[in-house]
């Protein structure tokens, strides 16, 4: 442990991996912010806490099962010359779930339905939100940890990076969720991002890798435009009063 604490290479690996884990966690934060927006505020906060705690647990458990995890990348199914591993199948399933969920939410927003009959009983709605969070946490955790394994060799560094990233995700999730709830147009933008991320996960499952840099640039650019729209709307409202 002392060798790790005094090694410049270990600190460099920790900083790089933490930054990467934070970037990969953006998907999780966006999904959480959208998914909890349909339940009461008190339950939404608890759902976010449970979701991020599960994300941390899933990542640490997966890191502790490195041999098993590496086994998930070995082909188990071949269709027309295309080999699929368990990782590919999980990514495809998770990506399709994300696309279906985001599309359903977009449809609900466009149709402007009444909060799904008071969110179909608050207890049932809360339980359904947690189930969806678990499914997406598993998919994002798998993608995140396999990336981490490729970047660092020491388990302690990987766990430290994951814990730091999850703490930052927890701190940022509240303000992001509040902003999404207060500005309905940003929710539509977030849902469009989730469709994009779902497509990228499905593509990864079919061994067609879409560089994440393109996706995150599109998200950043669109978010910046939306931020200026919100700012302009607020300034116009102030000028009118």
């Amino acid at each position: 442990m002392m060798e790790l604490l005094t090694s410049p290479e270990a600190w460099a690996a920790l900083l790089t991996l933490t930054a990467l884990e934070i970037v990969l966690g953006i998907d999780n934060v966006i999904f959480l912010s959208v998914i909890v927006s349909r339940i009461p505020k008190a339950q939404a906060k608890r759902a976010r806490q449970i979701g991020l705690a599960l994300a941390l647990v899933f990542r640490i458990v997966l890191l502790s099962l490195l041999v098993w995890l590496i086994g998930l990348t070995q082909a188990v199914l071949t269709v027309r010359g295309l080999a699929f591993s368990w990782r590919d199948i999980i990514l495809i399933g998770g990506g399709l779930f994300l696309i279906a969920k985001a599309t359903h939410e977009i449809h609900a927003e466009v149709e402007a339905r009444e909060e799904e009959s008071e969110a179909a009983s608050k207890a049932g709605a809360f339980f359904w939100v947690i189930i969806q969070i678990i499914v997406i946490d598993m998919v994002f955790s798998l993608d995140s940890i396999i990336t981490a394994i490729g970047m660092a060799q020491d388990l302690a560094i990987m766990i430290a990076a994951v814990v730091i990233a999850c703490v930052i995700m927890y701190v940022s999730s509240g303000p992001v969720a509040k902003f999404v709830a207060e500005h309905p147009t940003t929710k539509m933008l977030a849902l469009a991002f989730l469709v994009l991320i779902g497509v990228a996960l499905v593509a990864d499952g079919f061994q067609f890798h879409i560089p994440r840099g393109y996706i995150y640039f599109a998200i950043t650019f669109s978010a910046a435009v939306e931020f200026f729209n919100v700012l302009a709307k607020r300034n116009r409202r102030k000028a009118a009063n």
Side-chain angles (χ1 to χ4, degrees):
M1 181 58 72
M2 284 305 297
E3 285 179 16
L4 284 176
L5 291 174
T6 56
S7 167
E9 291 83 3
W11 282 104
L14 176 63
L15 289 172
T16 305
L17 190 54
T18 301
L20 182 67
E21 290 295 317
I22 291 168
V23 171
L24 290 172
I26 291 169
D27 309 349
N28 230 340
V29 171
I30 292 173
F31 180 80
L32 274 173
S33 301
V34 171
I35 203 72
V36 302
S37 64
R38 287 190 173 273
I39 57 178
K41 193 176 287 186
Q43 285 191 334
K45 183 178 179 182
R46 207 166 77 211
R48 274 202 322 275
Q49 290 171 339
I50 292 171
L52 290 169
L54 286 171
L56 177 59
V57 169
F58 280 136
R59 282 162 168 76
I60 291 175
V61 167
L62 287 172
L63 279 172
S64 304
L65 299 171
L66 288 181
V67 175
W68 174 79
L69 192 62
I70 290 166
L72 287 183
T73 60
Q74 296 170 356
V76 293
L77 179 68
T78 304
V79 179
R80 297 194 174 187
L82 195 61
F84 294 95
S85 64
W86 280 116
R87 173 185 178 269
D88 298 329
I89 293 167
I90 292 169
L91 288 180
I92 292 169
L96 290 174
F97 173 80
L98 208 53
I99 293 167
K101 177 62 186 170
T103 304
H104 174 76
E105 290 290 330
I106 289 172
H107 184 260
E109 290 292 313
V110 171
E111 293 294 317
R113 294 201 299 266
E114 287 297 317
E115 294 305 308
E116 307 237 339
S117 63
E118 269 318 295
S121 114
K122 290 176 183 175
F126 181 76
F127 178 74
W128 176 232
V129 163
I130 295 301
I131 294 296
Q132 292 175 81
I133 287 171
I134 289 171
V135 170
I136 287 302
D137 270 347
M138 287 173 64
V139 176
F140 285 154
S141 295
L142 187 69
D143 207 21
S144 168
I145 295 308
I146 286 176
T147 303
I149 292 169
M151 286 199 61
Q153 280 72 48
D154 197 284
L155 184 61
I157 291 173
M158 287 188 269
I159 290 176
V162 163
V163 170
I164 294 168
C166 282
V167 168
I168 292 171
M169 281 165 58
Y170 178 79
V171 171
S172 64
S173 67
V176 170
K178 184 180 177 185
F179 188 82
V180 168
E182 289 177 354
H183 302 91
T185 55
T186 60
K187 184 175 180 181
M188 192 65 76
L189 189 62
L191 289 168
F193 292 158
L194 291 178
V195 173
L196 187 62
I197 293 162
V199 169
L201 289 174
V202 172
D204 274 353
F206 282 98
Q207 286 99 50
F208 181 80
H209 182 65
I210 300 172
R212 289 295 191 269
Y214 295 149
I215 294 172
Y216 293 132
F217 174 78
I219 290 174
T220 305
F221 181 78
S222 303
V225 172
E226 182 62 23
F227 172 76
F228 287 121
N229 277 334
V230 169
L231 204 60
K233 194 183 295 181
R234 185 181 298 166
N235 289 339
R236 282 196 298 270
R237 198 177 297 138
K238 281 181 184 176
N241 292 335

